[in-house]
Each structure stands twice: as C-alpha cells, then as structure tokens.
Amino acid sequence: MKENKMPLTTHLADLRKRIFISLIAVLIGFVAAFAYSEELFRFLTFPLRYNILISISSPFVQLVEKNVKNNPSLVFLAPAEAFWMHMKISMIAALIASLPVIFLQLWKFVSPGLLHKEKKYVVPFVFITTVFFLLGAAYCFFLVLPFAMGFLLTYKTESMTPMISVGNYVDFCLKFILAFGAIFELPIAIIFFTRMGFVTPKTLAKHRKYAILSAFIVAAILTPTPDVFNQTLMAVPMIVLYEVGILVSRIFVRSKTS
C-alpha cells in the first residue's frame, strides 16, 4: 500500500493537469457557443414566451404561447450589459457542453485511489453524471422557470409594466439552471460518500425525516417564488433523488462486501 501512495507534489501536478484540460475544453466550447449566442439567448427566453398548463385530463401538460403584447420587454441599462449577457450565456453553454470532459478529468484524478475493479466504471460515471445534470437543468428550465415567471410577473402587478433588465434576467435563469443541475447530482454524491465510508445507507435511511425537512428548507431559500407549489417543484425531486441515492448505494455496498 505504501508503494502505491502518490506524494503530494504528484497529486498537485495531476490536479493542475486535470484543471488545465477542463479549462481548454470550456474555452473551445465558449468559442463555439459565442458564435450562436443570439440563438442561445432566444432559447433562454422560453420561460417568458410560454406558459405551462397542467390539467387532470389529457393532454395533462400543455405549452401555451403568451400573447406578444403581454410579453415583458427585455432592456439593457448599461452600454456593455448586452455584450456581457452574450458572454455569460456562452460561458454557461460551454460549461454544460464540456461536462463529459470535466467529469472524466474528475474521475481520472480520483481513480488512483480506487480498486482495479472500480476503475471500469469510468464510462457509466461520466454518462450518468452528465445525464443527471442535464435532467436537472431541463427540469428547471422547462417546468420551474415558466411557473416562476408566471407567478412573479403577474402577482400584484396590475398597475405596473414589467421591463426587465436583460442582465438580471439571464443571471436569474442561469443561476437556477446551474443550481438544479447540481442538485440532481445528489445520488452520485451519496454513492461516493457511502463508498468512501463516510456514511452508510442505513444511517441515511434512519435520518430520512431530516433530509425531507432539509429539502423543503433549501427549496424555500433557493426557489424564486414564495408560493408552496414552486417550492414543492424543487423539494420533491430532491427527496426522490435522496431515495434513489440510498437505493443505489445499498447495491454498491452489497457488491463491495460480496
């Protein structure tokens, strides 16, 4: 075991290499995304242009385009605000597009501490972590944000005309897209901590009630609206992901002991 241990300088050099490769991937993605920043911005205005209607009869979910006259105007209040908006959108798009490379570099950094049979999970790890992040981002963008915009722009605003700063709108959307993407990585984090021995599936299941309470507290803090419905849209996936993490970690722990 002592012979297989890497010195600290080697760890730091490897970490620097992994970060450098990840940054190169993001930079390449940024150059490509910036060329299509206008299309990306148009796509990002989806929550402003559509309402989501949920019904107890078929079709259960409908996308209804808003009246153009009722759409709020996006304005920029500083000479460079529109330019920085395109920069931010391109950077986040590049970051999301580079996730497979970033997760691969993360795996390569921690792989020296894994068993030989565990190193074969590199492809499932990269695929699952990327898919879970994209699912969280899509869930936020197509479900949570339209509901949030519909609430925030119509609640006691009859005597006001919405004119939203484009920079504030982009920051608002990107912040929650990234937050939901990170939250959907919860099962991966649970599996990692159980494999490292920090927690056990039994302990996680025992403290389930605290996890549920924490999910609603986090949702109340992060959700852009004060209503219970939008908070539930965030809390329920967190609880489901917590249960998924416990279930999968139990499978991994059994396979490790066997």
Side-chain angles (χ1 to χ4, degrees):
M1 291 294 292
K2 292 181 179 179
E3 293 179 357
N4 292 331
K5 288 185 177 180
M6 297 172 60
L8 179 60
T9 53
T10 305
H11 274 295
L12 293 176
D14 187 52
L15 177 61
R16 184 166 58 248
K17 176 183 177 181
R18 302 305 167 195
I19 293 176
F20 179 75
I21 295 175
S22 299
L23 290 177
I24 291 297
V26 173
L27 179 61
I28 295 174
F30 173 79
V31 173
F34 192 75
Y36 297 95
S37 60
E38 292 185 13
E39 290 78 3
L40 292 172
F41 171 68
R42 173 69 178 174
F43 180 70
L44 197 62
T45 61
F46 171 87
L48 286 178
R49 294 183 289 112
Y50 288 91
N51 284 324
I52 294 182
L53 300 180
I54 297 180
S55 174
I56 59 175
S57 59
S58 181
F60 301 103
V61 180
Q62 298 182 64
L63 287 178
V64 180
E65 190 170 5
K66 297 179 181 178
N67 191 325
V68 177
K69 295 181 180 179
N70 297 330
N71 283 348
S73 301
L74 290 177
V75 299
F76 59 96
L77 306 178
E81 185 174 1
F83 172 77
W84 285 114
M85 176 271 298
H86 286 285
M87 294 285 286
K88 290 176 183 178
I89 292 177
S90 302
M91 180 57 67
I92 299 302
L95 179 64
I96 294 175
S98 304
L99 285 177
V101 177
I102 295 172
F103 288 134
L104 177 60
Q105 298 309 310
L106 175 62
W107 180 271
K108 287 186 175 182
F109 178 70
V110 302
S111 61
L114 300 177
L115 299 175
H116 178 71
K117 64 179 182 179
E118 294 176 330
K119 295 180 180 181
K120 65 182 180 181
Y121 294 119
V122 55
V123 174
F125 171 80
V126 174
F127 177 77
I128 293 174
T129 50
T130 303
V131 168
F132 269 60
F133 188 97
L134 294 178
L135 286 175
Y139 176 82
C140 174
F141 185 73
F142 291 107
L143 191 62
V144 177
L145 283 179
F147 275 117
M149 289 296 173
F151 177 86
L152 293 173
L153 296 178
T154 58
Y155 182 71
K156 295 184 178 181
T157 59
E158 292 79 5
S159 60
M160 294 178 280
T161 301
M163 295 182 66
I164 308 172
S165 164
V166 66
N168 290 335
Y169 174 77
V170 169
D171 288 343
F172 180 87
C173 292
L174 295 181
K175 177 177 67 174
F176 285 100
I177 289 172
L178 293 176
F180 271 84
I183 286 172
F184 270 61
E185 300 289 355
L186 181 60
I188 310 300
I190 291 176
I191 294 170
F192 174 77
F193 286 122
T194 53
R195 292 292 283 180
M196 295 296 293
F198 296 135
V199 292
T200 63
K202 184 178 180 179
T203 303
L204 294 172
K206 182 180 179 181
H207 295 87
R208 180 180 286 109
K209 58 183 178 181
Y210 299 110
I212 295 174
L213 177 61
S214 300
F216 278 96
I217 292 175
V218 171
I221 296 173
L222 296 181
T223 305
T225 63
D227 63 295
V228 177
F229 181 75
N230 279 288
Q231 292 175 9
T232 304
L233 286 177
M234 186 176 197
V236 170
M238 292 175 64
I239 297 170
V240 173
L241 291 168
Y242 184 81
E243 296 296 333
V244 171
I246 294 176
L247 178 62
V248 178
S249 63
R250 282 174 176 167
I251 298 174
F252 272 87
V253 169
R254 289 172 186 169
S255 63
K256 183 177 181 180
T257 55
S258 60

